[in-house]
């Protein structure tokens, strides 16, 4: 049986042809990922430093206190979720700091500049007192009525957001000037007694709507013109006011 043979290659076949070596695949390391993570971390730290340089004194002290003693500082502040009554506690030793914090929050209200002179803070034996003094045109409430103005609603909403984070109980008071309301006396018709109580209750409803807890308000008081802000000027419109008293911790809710 004949044998088949492959034909021989012609002379010179394959000479001068370069043979490519098989490619070798290299496994790249993750060093670049580490460098990128370090860069992002440094950038974030820079942003935090820039933010801290422009924050209030209260925020700086809070951050500093937390990094010095995280557990102890958290317990001292009673940190917790919003509207849970686990925020800063108002007591006699820190009432000035709480006042600054509330003033800072109120400064964000659009109408704050025109209301600044009509907002008075004072510290009494009962707690931190915030008086919202009316003007002749009716700044916080419409003149002769218990309906809050738009500016008054915005201010009360801002107060509710701040005070609602505190565990302290709150008292709301309504006051009027000495002018007889629509020429009526205390024995007949709608008088300053009803007006002062109705304004205090209207403020209470707004405060509850925007952050105060149901049990946080412990008293609503209507004083008519019995406790004038300016006794020597009984008909001065600044005697018409709403007062919020954030009571000290000795009289706060548990």
């Amino acid at each position: 049986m004949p044998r088949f043979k492959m034909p021989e290659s012609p002379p010179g076949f394959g000479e001068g042809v370069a043979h490519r070596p098989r490619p070798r695949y290299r496994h790249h390391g993750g060093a670049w990922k580490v460098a990128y993570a370090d860069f992002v971390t440094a950038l974030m730290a820079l942003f935090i430093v820039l933010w801290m340089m422009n924050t209030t004194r209260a925020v700086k002290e809070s951050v500093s206190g937390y990094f010095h003693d995280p557990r102890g500082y958290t317990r001292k502040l009673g940190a917790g979720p919003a509207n849970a009554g686990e925020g800063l506690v108002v007591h006699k030793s820190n009432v000035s700091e709480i006042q600054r914090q509330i003033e800072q929050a109120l400064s964000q209200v659009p109408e704050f500049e025109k209301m600044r002179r009509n907002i008075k803070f004072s510290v009494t034996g009962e707690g931190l007192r915030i008086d919202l003094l009316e003007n002749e045109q009716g700044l916080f409430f419409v003149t002769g009525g218990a309906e809050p103005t738009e500016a008054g609603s915005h201010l009360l909403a801002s107060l509710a957001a701040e005070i609602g984070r505190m565990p302290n109980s709150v008292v709301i008071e309504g006051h009027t000037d000495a002018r007889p309301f629509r020429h009526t006396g205390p024995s007949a018709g709608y008088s300053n007694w009803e007006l002062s109580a109705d304004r205090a209750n209207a403020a209470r409803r707004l405060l509850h709507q925007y952050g105060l807890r149901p049990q946080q308000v412990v008293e609503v008081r209507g004083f008519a013109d019995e406790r004038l802000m300016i006794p020597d000027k009984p008909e001065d419109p600044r005697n018409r006011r709403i007062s919020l008293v954030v009571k000290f911790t000795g009289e706060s809710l548990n």
Side-chain angles (χ1 to χ4, degrees):
M1 193 171 179
R3 295 182 178 179
F4 293 95
K5 298 174 64 178
M6 294 293 293
E8 295 182 359
S9 299
F13 179 79
E15 294 180 2
V17 178
H19 295 281
R20 293 182 180 179
R22 296 182 65 183
R24 296 181 180 179
Y25 296 98
R26 296 182 179 178
H27 179 70
H28 296 283
W32 69 273
K33 298 179 183 178
V34 177
Y36 179 72
D38 290 343
F39 169 74
V40 172
T41 303
L43 194 62
M44 183 179 66
L46 173 63
F47 287 151
I48 292 174
V49 170
L50 294 175
W51 171 73
M52 284 289 297
M53 292 173 64
N54 292 280
T55 56
T56 63
R57 178 171 168 266
V59 174
K60 292 177 182 177
E61 290 181 353
S62 297
V63 174
S64 175
Y66 175 81
F67 279 104
H68 278 87
D69 182 12
R71 292 186 179 180
Y73 198 74
T74 301
R75 284 195 298 268
K76 184 178 77 171
L77 295 184
N83 296 329
E86 298 178 359
L88 284 172
V89 180
V90 182
H91 47 75
K92 294 181 180 180
S93 62
N94 75 339
V95 65
S96 297
E97 187 61 39
I98 298 299
Q99 177 179 330
R100 282 193 292 270
Q101 178 179 316
I102 294 176
E103 288 175 334
Q104 178 69 22
L106 294 182
S107 67
Q108 306 303 315
V109 177
E111 304 91 342
F112 178 72
E113 286 304 317
K114 72 176 184 179
M115 299 185 294
R116 181 192 295 270
R117 294 183 179 180
N118 293 73
I119 303 171
K120 302 295 182 184
F121 289 85
S122 59
V123 180
T124 68
E126 192 174 17
L128 175 63
R129 187 180 190 88
I130 308 168
D131 289 298
L132 310 181
L133 312 180
E134 288 289 352
N135 58 18
E136 193 65 50
Q137 292 73 35
L139 184 57
F140 301 105
F141 285 84
V142 296
T143 302
E147 179 184 352
T149 62
E150 183 177 0
S153 297
H154 291 165
L155 188 79
L156 288 169
S158 182
L159 282 171
E162 291 300 312
I163 300 174
R165 290 198 289 265
M166 303 172 186
N168 303 70
S169 54
V170 177
V171 173
I172 305 172
E173 298 176 353
H175 302 265
T176 68
D177 57 24
R179 300 176 189 178
F181 183 76
R182 296 177 182 175
H183 305 289
T184 61
S187 62
Y190 190 92
S191 68
N192 283 332
W193 287 103
E194 284 82 9
L195 180 61
S196 62
D198 286 349
R199 284 186 171 181
N201 265 311
R204 176 191 58 77
R205 286 190 290 268
L206 267 175
L207 291 167
H208 281 312
Q209 180 180 347
Y210 289 105
L212 258 64
R213 301 181 306 284
Q215 297 82 16
Q216 196 168 4
V217 176
V218 294
E219 286 185 78
V220 177
R221 305 166 178 168
F223 285 106
D225 61 340
E226 292 299 313
R227 298 191 180 184
L228 297 173
M229 173 69 74
I230 309 173
D232 58 333
K233 296 181 179 179
E235 295 190 357
D236 192 299
R238 290 172 292 178
N239 288 312
R240 305 197 302 262
R241 66 195 188 277
I242 289 293
S243 305
L244 276 66
V245 181
V246 184
K247 302 182 78 173
F248 286 135
T249 51
E251 301 178 19
S252 63
L253 296 173
N254 295 324

